[in-house]
């Protein structure tokens, strides 16, 4: 089970978005992927929404 606070927050966000009928893709970056891709890619009733999940203790990098 996930213990990372940011991971737990991400799961809560995904659960809420899916409950509202949105399609959510969790982007899992690796050493070969593009940098700066947001954590969640969402189809919200035909609109594209990108979400970068951060805790209060973390700041996004300029590319994010």
């Amino acid at each position: 089970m996930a213990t990372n606070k940011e991971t737990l927050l991400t799961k809560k966000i995904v659960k809420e978005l899916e409950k509202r009928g949105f399609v959510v893709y969790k982007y899992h970056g690796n050493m070969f992927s593009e940098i700066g891709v947001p954590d969640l890619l969402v189809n919200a009733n035909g609109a594209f929404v990108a979400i970068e999940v951060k805790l209060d203790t973390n700041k996004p990098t300029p590319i994010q």
Side-chain angles (χ1 to χ4, degrees), residues 23-49:
V23 178
V24 182
Y25 298 95
K26 169 67 176 107
Y27 182 77
H28 298 278
N30 62 50
M31 60 190 267
F32 301 108
S33 57
E34 282 290 321
I35 60 172
V37 177
D39 298 319
L40 301 175
L41 306 174
V42 184
N43 179 341
N45 298 323
F48 172 79
V49 179

PDB file of all heavy atoms in Angstrom, residues 23-49:
ATOM      1  N   VAL A  23     -12.344  10.923 -17.515  1.00  0.00           N
ATOM      2  CA  VAL A  23     -11.365   9.879 -17.825  1.00  0.00           C
ATOM      3  C   VAL A  23      -9.997  10.407 -17.399  1.00  0.00           C
ATOM      4  O   VAL A  23      -9.587  11.493 -17.816  1.00  0.00           O
ATOM      5  CB  VAL A  23     -11.376   9.550 -19.337  1.00  0.00           C
ATOM      6  CG1 VAL A  23     -10.328   8.501 -19.650  1.00  0.00           C
ATOM      7  CG2 VAL A  23     -12.756   9.103 -19.782  1.00  0.00           C
ATOM      8  N   VAL A  24      -9.310   9.639 -16.547  1.00  0.00           N
ATOM      9  CA  VAL A  24      -8.042  10.095 -15.975  1.00  0.00           C
ATOM     10  C   VAL A  24      -6.937   9.100 -16.325  1.00  0.00           C
ATOM     11  O   VAL A  24      -7.095   7.895 -16.146  1.00  0.00           O
ATOM     12  CB  VAL A  24      -8.141  10.226 -14.438  1.00  0.00           C
ATOM     13  CG1 VAL A  24      -6.844  10.751 -13.859  1.00  0.00           C
ATOM     14  CG2 VAL A  24      -9.312  11.102 -14.047  1.00  0.00           C
ATOM     15  N   TYR A  25      -5.827   9.628 -16.816  1.00  0.00           N
ATOM     16  CA  TYR A  25      -4.636   8.827 -17.082  1.00  0.00           C
ATOM     17  C   TYR A  25      -3.538   9.294 -16.146  1.00  0.00           C
ATOM     18  O   TYR A  25      -3.221  10.480 -16.103  1.00  0.00           O
ATOM     19  CB  TYR A  25      -4.168   8.997 -18.529  1.00  0.00           C
ATOM     20  CG  TYR A  25      -5.175   8.550 -19.541  1.00  0.00           C
ATOM     21  CD1 TYR A  25      -6.051   9.457 -20.122  1.00  0.00           C
ATOM     22  CD2 TYR A  25      -5.274   7.207 -19.902  1.00  0.00           C
ATOM     23  CE1 TYR A  25      -7.001   9.048 -21.039  1.00  0.00           C
ATOM     24  CE2 TYR A  25      -6.221   6.792 -20.828  1.00  0.00           C
ATOM     25  CZ  TYR A  25      -7.078   7.721 -21.390  1.00  0.00           C
ATOM     26  OH  TYR A  25      -8.009   7.312 -22.299  1.00  0.00           O
ATOM     27  N   LYS A  26      -2.959   8.360 -15.383  1.00  0.00           N
ATOM     28  CA  LYS A  26      -1.823   8.678 -14.521  1.00  0.00           C
ATOM     29  C   LYS A  26      -0.572   8.467 -15.344  1.00  0.00           C
ATOM     30  O   LYS A  26      -0.329   7.383 -15.862  1.00  0.00           O
ATOM     31  CB  LYS A  26      -1.825   7.770 -13.277  1.00  0.00           C
ATOM     32  CG  LYS A  26      -0.561   7.829 -12.449  1.00  0.00           C
ATOM     33  CD  LYS A  26      -0.372   9.180 -11.794  1.00  0.00           C
ATOM     34  CE  LYS A  26       0.829   9.196 -10.888  1.00  0.00           C
ATOM     35  NZ  LYS A  26       1.959   9.924 -11.400  1.00  0.00           N
ATOM     36  N   TYR A  27       0.210   9.534 -15.495  1.00  0.00           N
ATOM     37  CA  TYR A  27       1.445   9.439 -16.277  1.00  0.00           C
ATOM     38  C   TYR A  27       2.565   8.950 -15.367  1.00  0.00           C
ATOM     39  O   TYR A  27       2.838   9.562 -14.330  1.00  0.00           O
ATOM     40  CB  TYR A  27       1.790  10.801 -16.874  1.00  0.00           C
ATOM     41  CG  TYR A  27       3.024  10.758 -17.743  1.00  0.00           C
ATOM     42  CD1 TYR A  27       2.972  10.230 -19.025  1.00  0.00           C
ATOM     43  CD2 TYR A  27       4.248  11.223 -17.278  1.00  0.00           C
ATOM     44  CE1 TYR A  27       4.097  10.170 -19.828  1.00  0.00           C
ATOM     45  CE2 TYR A  27       5.377  11.168 -18.067  1.00  0.00           C
ATOM     46  CZ  TYR A  27       5.293  10.638 -19.342  1.00  0.00           C
ATOM     47  OH  TYR A  27       6.414  10.579 -20.128  1.00  0.00           O
ATOM     48  N   HIS A  28       3.187   7.861 -15.741  1.00  0.00           N
ATOM     49  CA  HIS A  28       4.295   7.297 -14.975  1.00  0.00           C
ATOM     50  C   HIS A  28       5.586   7.581 -15.733  1.00  0.00           C
ATOM     51  O   HIS A  28       5.900   6.898 -16.703  1.00  0.00           O
ATOM     52  CB  HIS A  28       4.124   5.792 -14.783  1.00  0.00           C
ATOM     53  CG  HIS A  28       2.889   5.426 -14.016  1.00  0.00           C
ATOM     54  ND1 HIS A  28       2.843   5.463 -12.643  1.00  0.00           N
ATOM     55  CD2 HIS A  28       1.647   5.055 -14.428  1.00  0.00           C
ATOM     56  CE1 HIS A  28       1.636   5.117 -12.242  1.00  0.00           C
ATOM     57  NE2 HIS A  28       0.887   4.872 -13.309  1.00  0.00           N
ATOM     58  N   GLY A  29       6.292   8.599 -15.316  1.00  0.00           N
ATOM     59  CA  GLY A  29       7.546   8.956 -15.980  1.00  0.00           C
ATOM     60  C   GLY A  29       8.651   7.954 -15.657  1.00  0.00           C
ATOM     61  O   GLY A  29       8.621   7.264 -14.648  1.00  0.00           O
ATOM     62  N   ASN A  30       9.608   7.877 -16.565  1.00  0.00           N
ATOM     63  CA  ASN A  30      10.788   7.044 -16.341  1.00  0.00           C
ATOM     64  C   ASN A  30      11.978   7.736 -16.988  1.00  0.00           C
ATOM     65  O   ASN A  30      11.860   8.838 -17.514  1.00  0.00           O
ATOM     66  CB  ASN A  30      10.566   5.632 -16.888  1.00  0.00           C
ATOM     67  CG  ASN A  30      10.334   5.617 -18.373  1.00  0.00           C
ATOM     68  OD1 ASN A  30      11.093   6.206 -19.152  1.00  0.00           O
ATOM     69  ND2 ASN A  30       9.268   4.956 -18.800  1.00  0.00           N
ATOM     70  N   MET A  31      13.114   7.102 -16.965  1.00  0.00           N
ATOM     71  CA  MET A  31      14.334   7.740 -17.470  1.00  0.00           C
ATOM     72  C   MET A  31      14.303   7.997 -18.978  1.00  0.00           C
ATOM     73  O   MET A  31      15.099   8.763 -19.488  1.00  0.00           O
ATOM     74  CB  MET A  31      15.574   6.929 -17.093  1.00  0.00           C
ATOM     75  CG  MET A  31      15.596   5.526 -17.629  1.00  0.00           C
ATOM     76  SD  MET A  31      16.898   4.527 -16.931  1.00  0.00           S
ATOM     77  CE  MET A  31      18.179   4.773 -18.131  1.00  0.00           C
ATOM     78  N   PHE A  32      13.363   7.394 -19.698  1.00  0.00           N
ATOM     79  CA  PHE A  32      13.279   7.573 -21.146  1.00  0.00           C
ATOM     80  C   PHE A  32      12.162   8.526 -21.573  1.00  0.00           C
ATOM     81  O   PHE A  32      12.006   8.813 -22.748  1.00  0.00           O
ATOM     82  CB  PHE A  32      13.072   6.212 -21.838  1.00  0.00           C
ATOM     83  CG  PHE A  32      14.172   5.231 -21.553  1.00  0.00           C
ATOM     84  CD1 PHE A  32      13.950   4.154 -20.724  1.00  0.00           C
ATOM     85  CD2 PHE A  32      15.442   5.407 -22.090  1.00  0.00           C
ATOM     86  CE1 PHE A  32      14.962   3.250 -20.439  1.00  0.00           C
ATOM     87  CE2 PHE A  32      16.459   4.516 -21.818  1.00  0.00           C
ATOM     88  CZ  PHE A  32      16.219   3.438 -20.990  1.00  0.00           C
ATOM     89  N   SER A  33      11.366   8.991 -20.633  1.00  0.00           N
ATOM     90  CA  SER A  33      10.211   9.819 -20.988  1.00  0.00           C
ATOM     91  C   SER A  33      10.560  11.301 -20.998  1.00  0.00           C
ATOM     92  O   SER A  33      11.577  11.721 -20.454  1.00  0.00           O
ATOM     93  CB  SER A  33       9.055   9.546 -20.034  1.00  0.00           C
ATOM     94  OG  SER A  33       9.439   9.775 -18.711  1.00  0.00           O
ATOM     95  N   GLU A  34       9.697  12.069 -21.624  1.00  0.00           N
ATOM     96  CA  GLU A  34       9.850  13.527 -21.666  1.00  0.00           C
ATOM     97  C   GLU A  34       9.747  14.100 -20.263  1.00  0.00           C
ATOM     98  O   GLU A  34       8.935  13.647 -19.461  1.00  0.00           O
ATOM     99  CB  GLU A  34       8.744  14.153 -22.516  1.00  0.00           C
ATOM    100  CG  GLU A  34       8.940  14.041 -23.995  1.00  0.00           C
ATOM    101  CD  GLU A  34      10.072  14.901 -24.522  1.00  0.00           C
ATOM    102  OE1 GLU A  34      10.252  16.037 -24.053  1.00  0.00           O
ATOM    103  OE2 GLU A  34      10.767  14.417 -25.415  1.00  0.00           O
ATOM    104  N   ILE A  35      10.548  15.106 -19.973  1.00  0.00           N
ATOM    105  CA  ILE A  35      10.436  15.766 -18.686  1.00  0.00           C
ATOM    106  C   ILE A  35       9.327  16.815 -18.746  1.00  0.00           C
ATOM    107  O   ILE A  35       9.007  17.325 -19.814  1.00  0.00           O
ATOM    108  CB  ILE A  35      11.771  16.407 -18.243  1.00  0.00           C
ATOM    109  CG1 ILE A  35      12.238  17.457 -19.254  1.00  0.00           C
ATOM    110  CG2 ILE A  35      12.828  15.356 -18.012  1.00  0.00           C
ATOM    111  CD1 ILE A  35      13.426  18.265 -18.789  1.00  0.00           C
ATOM    112  N   GLY A  36       8.722  17.079 -17.608  1.00  0.00           N
ATOM    113  CA  GLY A  36       7.709  18.115 -17.526  1.00  0.00           C
ATOM    114  C   GLY A  36       6.291  17.682 -17.824  1.00  0.00           C
ATOM    115  O   GLY A  36       5.381  18.493 -17.764  1.00  0.00           O
ATOM    116  N   VAL A  37       6.073  16.394 -18.140  1.00  0.00           N
ATOM    117  CA  VAL A  37       4.713  15.926 -18.392  1.00  0.00           C
ATOM    118  C   VAL A  37       3.983  15.871 -17.047  1.00  0.00           C
ATOM    119  O   VAL A  37       4.494  15.301 -16.084  1.00  0.00           O
ATOM    120  CB  VAL A  37       4.698  14.540 -19.063  1.00  0.00           C
ATOM    121  CG1 VAL A  37       3.274  14.032 -19.246  1.00  0.00           C
ATOM    122  CG2 VAL A  37       5.418  14.594 -20.397  1.00  0.00           C
ATOM    123  N   PRO A  38       2.793  16.463 -16.948  1.00  0.00           N
ATOM    124  CA  PRO A  38       2.065  16.470 -15.682  1.00  0.00           C
ATOM    125  C   PRO A  38       1.697  15.064 -15.200  1.00  0.00           C
ATOM    126  O   PRO A  38       1.646  14.116 -15.980  1.00  0.00           O
ATOM    127  CB  PRO A  38       0.792  17.260 -16.002  1.00  0.00           C
ATOM    128  CG  PRO A  38       1.119  18.027 -17.224  1.00  0.00           C
ATOM    129  CD  PRO A  38       2.102  17.213 -17.987  1.00  0.00           C
ATOM    130  N   ASP A  39       1.404  14.961 -13.906  1.00  0.00           N
ATOM    131  CA  ASP A  39       1.084  13.675 -13.287  1.00  0.00           C
ATOM    132  C   ASP A  39      -0.213  13.075 -13.812  1.00  0.00           C
ATOM    133  O   ASP A  39      -0.299  11.867 -14.007  1.00  0.00           O
ATOM    134  CB  ASP A  39       0.952  13.837 -11.771  1.00  0.00           C
ATOM    135  CG  ASP A  39       2.249  14.294 -11.125  1.00  0.00           C
ATOM    136  OD1 ASP A  39       3.314  13.802 -11.523  1.00  0.00           O
ATOM    137  OD2 ASP A  39       2.189  15.162 -10.237  1.00  0.00           O
ATOM    138  N   LEU A  40      -1.220  13.913 -14.002  1.00  0.00           N
ATOM    139  CA  LEU A  40      -2.527  13.423 -14.417  1.00  0.00           C
ATOM    140  C   LEU A  40      -2.961  14.102 -15.711  1.00  0.00           C
ATOM    141  O   LEU A  40      -2.869  15.327 -15.840  1.00  0.00           O
ATOM    142  CB  LEU A  40      -3.577  13.706 -13.334  1.00  0.00           C
ATOM    143  CG  LEU A  40      -3.309  13.088 -11.966  1.00  0.00           C
ATOM    144  CD1 LEU A  40      -4.360  13.552 -10.958  1.00  0.00           C
ATOM    145  CD2 LEU A  40      -3.273  11.579 -12.043  1.00  0.00           C
ATOM    146  N   LEU A  41      -3.432  13.314 -16.646  1.00  0.00           N
ATOM    147  CA  LEU A  41      -3.979  13.812 -17.908  1.00  0.00           C
ATOM    148  C   LEU A  41      -5.457  13.450 -17.893  1.00  0.00           C
ATOM    149  O   LEU A  41      -5.814  12.277 -17.753  1.00  0.00           O
ATOM    150  CB  LEU A  41      -3.260  13.165 -19.089  1.00  0.00           C
ATOM    151  CG  LEU A  41      -1.736  13.310 -19.062  1.00  0.00           C
ATOM    152  CD1 LEU A  41      -1.105  12.507 -20.188  1.00  0.00           C
ATOM    153  CD2 LEU A  41      -1.329  14.759 -19.139  1.00  0.00           C
ATOM    154  N   VAL A  42      -6.314  14.458 -18.005  1.00  0.00           N
ATOM    155  CA  VAL A  42      -7.741  14.267 -17.776  1.00  0.00           C
ATOM    156  C   VAL A  42      -8.563  14.707 -18.983  1.00  0.00           C
ATOM    157  O   VAL A  42      -8.330  15.779 -19.535  1.00  0.00           O
ATOM    158  CB  VAL A  42      -8.194  15.084 -16.533  1.00  0.00           C
ATOM    159  CG1 VAL A  42      -9.653  14.821 -16.211  1.00  0.00           C
ATOM    160  CG2 VAL A  42      -7.312  14.787 -15.320  1.00  0.00           C
ATOM    161  N   ASN A  43      -9.535  13.877 -19.352  1.00  0.00           N
ATOM    162  CA  ASN A  43     -10.545  14.256 -20.334  1.00  0.00           C
ATOM    163  C   ASN A  43     -11.777  14.623 -19.522  1.00  0.00           C
ATOM    164  O   ASN A  43     -12.464  13.756 -18.985  1.00  0.00           O
ATOM    165  CB  ASN A  43     -10.846  13.111 -21.288  1.00  0.00           C
ATOM    166  CG  ASN A  43     -11.907  13.463 -22.305  1.00  0.00           C
ATOM    167  OD1 ASN A  43     -12.672  14.397 -22.125  1.00  0.00           O
ATOM    168  ND2 ASN A  43     -11.958  12.708 -23.373  1.00  0.00           N
ATOM    169  N   ALA A  44     -12.018  15.921 -19.396  1.00  0.00           N
ATOM    170  CA  ALA A  44     -13.133  16.422 -18.597  1.00  0.00           C
ATOM    171  C   ALA A  44     -14.230  16.903 -19.542  1.00  0.00           C
ATOM    172  O   ALA A  44     -14.242  18.054 -19.966  1.00  0.00           O
ATOM    173  CB  ALA A  44     -12.666  17.548 -17.682  1.00  0.00           C
ATOM    174  N   ASN A  45     -15.131  15.992 -19.910  1.00  0.00           N
ATOM    175  CA  ASN A  45     -16.233  16.317 -20.819  1.00  0.00           C
ATOM    176  C   ASN A  45     -15.749  16.941 -22.122  1.00  0.00           C
ATOM    177  O   ASN A  45     -16.287  17.934 -22.595  1.00  0.00           O
ATOM    178  CB  ASN A  45     -17.237  17.242 -20.123  1.00  0.00           C
ATOM    179  CG  ASN A  45     -17.863  16.596 -18.915  1.00  0.00           C
ATOM    180  OD1 ASN A  45     -18.123  15.407 -18.921  1.00  0.00           O
ATOM    181  ND2 ASN A  45     -18.092  17.364 -17.865  1.00  0.00           N
ATOM    182  N   GLY A  46     -14.696  16.364 -22.681  1.00  0.00           N
ATOM    183  CA  GLY A  46     -14.175  16.832 -23.962  1.00  0.00           C
ATOM    184  C   GLY A  46     -13.081  17.869 -23.859  1.00  0.00           C
ATOM    185  O   GLY A  46     -12.457  18.212 -24.856  1.00  0.00           O
ATOM    186  N   ALA A  47     -12.818  18.377 -22.671  1.00  0.00           N
ATOM    187  CA  ALA A  47     -11.736  19.343 -22.464  1.00  0.00           C
ATOM    188  C   ALA A  47     -10.531  18.611 -21.885  1.00  0.00           C
ATOM    189  O   ALA A  47     -10.675  17.743 -21.026  1.00  0.00           O
ATOM    190  CB  ALA A  47     -12.171  20.453 -21.517  1.00  0.00           C
ATOM    191  N   PHE A  48      -9.349  18.967 -22.368  1.00  0.00           N
ATOM    192  CA  PHE A  48      -8.117  18.376 -21.862  1.00  0.00           C
ATOM    193  C   PHE A  48      -7.641  19.181 -20.656  1.00  0.00           C
ATOM    194  O   PHE A  48      -7.529  20.399 -20.721  1.00  0.00           O
ATOM    195  CB  PHE A  48      -7.037  18.388 -22.951  1.00  0.00           C
ATOM    196  CG  PHE A  48      -5.683  17.978 -22.446  1.00  0.00           C
ATOM    197  CD1 PHE A  48      -5.384  16.643 -22.258  1.00  0.00           C
ATOM    198  CD2 PHE A  48      -4.724  18.922 -22.149  1.00  0.00           C
ATOM    199  CE1 PHE A  48      -4.139  16.262 -21.789  1.00  0.00           C
ATOM    200  CE2 PHE A  48      -3.476  18.549 -21.686  1.00  0.00           C
ATOM    201  CZ  PHE A  48      -3.187  17.209 -21.499  1.00  0.00           C
ATOM    202  N   VAL A  49      -7.387  18.480 -19.551  1.00  0.00           N
ATOM    203  CA  VAL A  49      -6.876  19.124 -18.340  1.00  0.00           C
ATOM    204  C   VAL A  49      -5.638  18.363 -17.896  1.00  0.00           C
ATOM    205  O   VAL A  49      -5.645  17.133 -17.825  1.00  0.00           O
ATOM    206  CB  VAL A  49      -7.939  19.101 -17.213  1.00  0.00           C
ATOM    207  CG1 VAL A  49      -7.397  19.747 -15.949  1.00  0.00           C
ATOM    208  CG2 VAL A  49      -9.215  19.778 -17.662  1.00  0.00           C
TER     209      VAL A  49
END
